[in-house]
Amino acid sequence: MKKPLNMLIWQWGRRGAGPKTAVEFSKAVTSIPGINTYLSLSTQAEIVIKANNLVVDLPVKTYSSIWGYICRILQAPLIIASLFKFIKINKINIAICTMPGPMDLIMAITLRLLHIPYVVVVHDVHPHPGDGYLFQHFLQKILIKKSRLTVTFSKYIYKQLLAVDYVPTSQIIEGWHPPFSYKINNSQQSVSGTEIKLLNFGRLLLYKGLDLLEEALDHVSSSKAYRLRIVGHGPQNPLLDRLNARDNVSVENRWVPEEEIAELMQWADVVILPYREASQSGIAATALAFGKPILITNVGGLAEQFKKEDLDLVFICEPTINEIAKGLDQILQLNFPISRKKHDADQEWKELAEHLINEITNKLDKSP
């Protein structure tokens, strides 16, 4: 494909990593000469509602309930007509879905009607335990099979995608997961104290390994005082109640809005991620961007996220109670606060965008 490219980047989720990934990628691609970018997000996306200077070229009304989703699907012909008009007017010649969602087949149908290739970034091939997104993964499978190219952010997902044989090897591009950038409030620096501040942040689901963490806490031998905050959203259960009942542990079962994430990272001395399984972790990448030490289990594509120069900050252990306890003991022996140069998130997204655009254009040029 010859430049200039008119690229549509879309992600129609409402909260979390989906819209954030689209915004970060769009911002990075915009800096590449010869590419005109057009961003499409849900009108109900948290990042759209709360950002003052975010330009969304193609806002799309989505849904906030099952009934709302059904209504939007019934309105698919009208949505397709609107998308068709926008894509024709702006002469879009390639589109990228940065994280699949339930309404994406509407965009896929529109693009196929116009004979425009689209690319899908695949974050998970199989649903995680407790995800509750089985229908979404079924739709994702269709979206991937109909795409011209797919992108993965880890070798682990690359191998999984090969194993399920949704697309041929020649249609898969391997990338990596840059850290998300967040606005830092310098007036809210981490408060020093005698306790080492540990943070577990993310969805409170089974595969996140909180049960392993609970038992590992009983095997920590270090006498250093610490406080553990477990922050994220998930179904309430006895495990969370037990953790919250501990004197030095607090559980905040809530959705964390975009503007609070930097504050959480600034508060923490260490980020604890005791996953039972994973593909890649945006939280781990973000913790590194803030220069925070990380305790993380050796599952999925997590270990491959870290470069050699980061390994003095990363404690990788097996997903067992004893190994997590040993990792915690090692971390508690560090001298805090740790001063470490932070990663340049914007630069890392730009490097990823340049890599993906080169790979995408090369592969499309070679395709019949």
Side-chain angles (χ1 to χ4, degrees):
M1 301 187 72
K2 295 181 180 180
K3 293 182 179 179
L5 292 179
N6 295 322
M7 178 178 292
L8 175 63
I9 298 168
W10 95 87
Q11 208 290 322
W12 292 340
R14 291 186 297 127
R15 302 190 299 184
K20 184 71 173 174
T21 300
V23 171
E24 297 278 18
F25 186 69
S26 175
K27 184 169 62 173
V29 174
T30 300
S31 67
I32 300 175
I35 302 180
N36 302 313
T37 58
Y38 298 85
L39 178 62
S40 180
L41 297 175
S42 166
T43 57
Q44 293 136 291
E46 179 185 55
I47 199 169
V48 172
I49 295 169
K50 295 188 176 181
N52 296 322
N53 57 351
L54 178 61
V55 177
V56 181
D57 304 286
L58 178 57
V60 174
K61 182 181 177 182
T62 53
Y63 58 91
S64 56
S65 65
I66 293 176
W67 175 243
Y69 173 72
I70 293 171
C71 288
R72 295 304 285 158
I73 294 302
L74 292 174
Q75 295 168 352
L78 295 176
I79 301 172
I80 289 171
S82 176
L83 295 175
F84 192 101
K85 180 179 179 181
F86 178 90
I87 292 168
K88 286 282 286 185
I89 289 174
N90 292 285
K91 299 179 180 179
I92 302 297
N93 45 26
I94 186 170
I96 298 182
C97 174
T98 58
M99 184 180 288
M103 281 183 59
D104 291 331
L105 290 181
I106 292 176
M107 175 66 85
I109 291 169
T110 309
L111 293 167
R112 286 180 70 84
L113 288 172
L114 290 163
H115 306 288
I116 295 171
Y118 70 86
V119 181
V120 179
V121 180
V122 181
H123 296 257
D124 295 296
V125 175
H126 305 292
H128 296 295
D131 253 348
Y133 296 150
L134 295 178
F135 180 62
Q136 181 169 319
H137 275 267
F138 170 74
L139 296 177
Q140 173 182 276
K141 178 179 177 180
I142 300 172
L143 187 73
I144 293 170
K145 286 190 170 187
K146 299 294 183 182
S147 68
R148 184 70 65 85
L149 297 170
T150 57
V151 172
T152 70
F153 280 172
S154 69
K155 286 183 173 65
Y156 176 75
I157 293 300
Y158 178 87
K159 291 176 181 177
Q160 281 196 331
L161 199 52
L162 288 179
V164 295
D165 198 28
Y166 290 172
V167 291
T169 308
S170 60
Q171 291 184 17
I172 307 175
I173 300 170
E174 192 178 332
W176 59 90
H177 200 314
F180 293 128
S181 61
Y182 292 98
K183 186 177 180 181
I184 298 175
N185 186 345
N186 291 322
S187 66
Q188 294 180 323
Q189 297 297 328
S190 179
V191 179
S192 60
T194 57
E195 293 182 323
I196 297 172
K197 298 182 289 297
L198 311 179
L199 173 67
N200 174 269
F201 173 53
R203 296 161 66 201
L204 306 182
L205 296 177
L206 175 64
Y207 76 96
K208 297 290 188 175
L210 290 178
D211 57 330
L212 297 176
L213 180 59
E214 179 200 20
E215 295 197 46
L217 294 176
D218 291 329
H219 293 79
V220 172
S221 59
S222 174
S223 60
K224 283 193 177 180
Y226 66 86
R227 170 150 298 278
L228 169 62
R229 284 177 73 186
I230 298 171
V231 186
H233 185 258
Q236 192 62 34
N237 56 59
L239 170 61
L240 297 180
D241 293 335
R242 290 196 304 270
L243 283 163
N244 198 43
R246 289 174 175 261
D247 291 337
N248 59 343
V249 179
S250 62
V251 177
E252 301 169 38
N253 190 348
R254 61 188 177 89
W255 178 259
V256 179
E258 175 91 4
E259 62 272 15
E260 283 189 36
I261 294 175
E263 182 182 337
L264 276 176
M265 289 295 172
Q266 286 178 285
W267 173 87
D269 291 318
V270 183
V271 175
I272 309 293
L273 303 173
Y275 297 159
R276 285 181 170 275
E277 65 167 68
S279 46
Q280 60 274 312
S281 173
I283 296 168
T286 300
L288 268 188
F290 277 82
K292 302 294 181 178
I294 304 167
L295 174 65
I296 197 162
T297 45
N298 187 22
V299 295
L302 298 182
E304 68 182 79
Q305 284 189 238
F306 308 110
K307 301 174 183 177
K308 287 183 179 179
E309 57 266 32
D310 297 322
L311 293 181
D312 62 325
L313 278 186
V314 181
F315 295 77
I316 301 173
C317 64
E318 295 306 311
T320 66
I321 294 164
N322 288 336
E323 290 301 308
I324 293 171
K326 288 179 183 177
L328 286 169
D329 277 326
Q330 284 183 284
I331 280 179
L332 292 173
Q333 297 311 309
L334 298 176
N335 294 318
F336 293 96
I338 292 176
S339 178
R340 176 67 183 269
K341 182 181 178 181
K342 298 175 176 60
H343 283 220
D344 186 337
D346 290 339
Q347 179 59 30
E348 293 193 29
W349 275 99
K350 183 177 179 181
E351 290 171 4
L352 173 70
E354 290 173 343
H355 167 73
L356 294 184
I357 297 304
N358 285 334
E359 289 290 312
I360 289 168
T361 52
N362 287 339
K363 285 183 178 291
L364 290 179
D365 283 342
K366 292 176 183 178
S367 64

